[in-house]
Amino acid sequence: DQQVKQNSPSLSVQEGRISILNCDYTNSMFDYFLWYKKYPAEGPTFLISISSIKDKNEDGRFTVFLNKSAKHLSLHIVPSQPGDSAVYFCAAMETGTASKLTFGTGTRLQVTL
Amino acid sequence: KAGVTQTPRYLIKTRGQQVTLSCSPISGHRSVSWYQQTPGQGLQFLFEYFSETQRNKGNFPGRFSGRQFSNSRSEMNVSTLELGDSALYLCASSSLSPDTGELFFGEGSRLTVL
C-alpha cells in the first residue's frame, strides 16, 4: 500500500521555465512533508519541507504547496536550471517519528537547455 | 564536518549468503535510520536506532536486522539473501533537534544478489 504517491515518473522542462512536481498521500496522520533531491551515485539531500499548519513554504527558487483537503502537495521550481536535473522524492511523516519517513517513488526531472 | 559514511559502497553476494553493511553517522548525531531503495519502490524504511535502541521498524522480514554501537555507528545485516534483496541501502543520521525529518543520507551501499 503506497501511502505517498508520485504519479509522474519523469518530467522534462526547459531551462528558465517552471517545474511542477506533484505528490499525493493517503495517510491522514501525516502532518509534515518534505522534498528530497537525489543525484546519481549520491544519497538524497533535503530540499524543503512544510508543516500541515501551513499551505505554502518558500525557499529561494523552491516553493512547496500543501492542500490538506485534497491530500496533495507540489513542489515548484522557478526558474528551472540544468543543475536541478535529478530525482525528486516526496516524503511524509507523523510528528514524533522524524526518522521514519514514508517516501514516494520519485520523479526524475530533466531540465533541458 | 564529515558526512555520513557507508561501507562498503558496492558488493556482490549469492543467494543464501549474509551481508553486513556499516554506517558512521555525522558526529553528534545519535539517530541512525536505514532505508532500502529499489526501482519502482522508492525508499522504504527499514529501522531506526537511537542511543543503541531500535525505536522504529518497517515492514521487512526478520532476515533484516541492525544494531547501533555506543559511538552511534550502526550496522545492518541481511541473512539468507534473496534475489529481491538487490538494492541500494541508504543510511541516514539525524540530530532530531529539531525533529523536522531532515535526514542526512550517506551515498549508500549497492548490494547485488546473484
Side-chain angles (χ1 to χ4, degrees):
Chain A
D1 175 32
Q2 198 75 27
Q3 297 185 60
V4 176
K5 299 178 185 178
Q6 294 177 256
N7 293 318
S8 299
S10 63
L11 175 68
S12 183
V13 172
Q14 262 189 329
E15 181 182 11
R17 300 288 187 113
I18 183 172
S19 294
I20 300 176
L21 293 88
N22 294 302
C23 178
D24 297 295
Y25 63 97
T26 58
N27 189 339
S28 302
M29 298 299 291
F30 291 146
D31 55 6
Y32 209 85
F33 304 89
L34 308 94
W35 286 92
Y36 279 79
K37 178 169 73 172
K38 186 180 186 299
Y39 293 117
E42 294 184 12
T45 55
F46 170 76
L47 191 58
I48 192 168
S49 63
I50 187 167
S51 164
S52 60
I53 63 173
K54 295 185 177 182
D55 53 20
K56 175 183 174 181
N57 188 28
E58 199 169 350
D59 184 2
R61 297 185 298 114
F62 303 90
T63 303
V64 56
F65 295 91
L66 175 63
N67 182 333
K68 282 182 295 183
S69 61
K71 293 191 175 69
H72 177 84
L73 62 155
S74 61
L75 174 68
H76 293 210
I77 306 174
V78 184
S80 301
Q81 300 174 353
D84 296 330
S85 297
V87 177
Y88 289 78
F89 291 98
C90 170
M93 59 174 267
E94 299 175 42
T95 300
T97 63
S99 294
K100 185 181 178 182
L101 299 181
T102 301
F103 283 86
T105 52
T107 296
R108 182 177 302 277
L109 173 66
Q110 183 174 7
V111 180
T112 59
L113 299 174
Chain B
K1 199 175 194 180
V4 176
T5 304
Q6 291 187 246
T7 57
R9 291 290 313 280
Y10 303 91
L11 64 166
I12 300 173
K13 294 285 187 178
T14 56
R15 279 181 299 175
Q17 286 187 311
Q18 73 160 10
V19 66
T20 299
L21 309 177
S22 179
C23 173
S24 293
I26 291 172
S27 177
H29 285 188
R30 295 166 63 190
S31 169
V32 174
S33 49
W34 289 87
Y35 288 81
Q36 180 195 65
Q37 185 188 4
T38 54
Q41 291 293 319
L43 282 75
Q44 294 186 288
F45 174 77
L46 281 156
F47 27 65
E48 185 241 350
Y49 287 87
F50 182 85
S51 294
E52 302 178 66
T53 301
Q54 186 182 89
R55 294 200 306 179
N56 286 298
K57 191 176 190 305
N59 296 323
F60 280 82
R63 300 185 297 107
F64 292 81
S65 63
R67 59 178 175 168
Q68 187 180 35
F69 302 95
S70 58
N71 61 359
S72 293
R73 190 176 69 85
S74 177
E75 288 181 348
M76 68 163 282
N77 184 78
V78 188
S79 62
T80 320
L81 284 166
E82 299 177 0
L83 295 178
D85 297 333
S86 295
L88 179 67
Y89 290 88
L90 292 159
C91 168
S93 75
S94 173
S95 66
L96 296 183
S97 178
D99 194 21
T100 59
E102 182 175 352
L103 306 181
F104 295 83
F105 283 89
E107 294 176 321
S109 293
R110 184 165 295 281
L111 170 65
T112 301
V113 182
L114 303 176

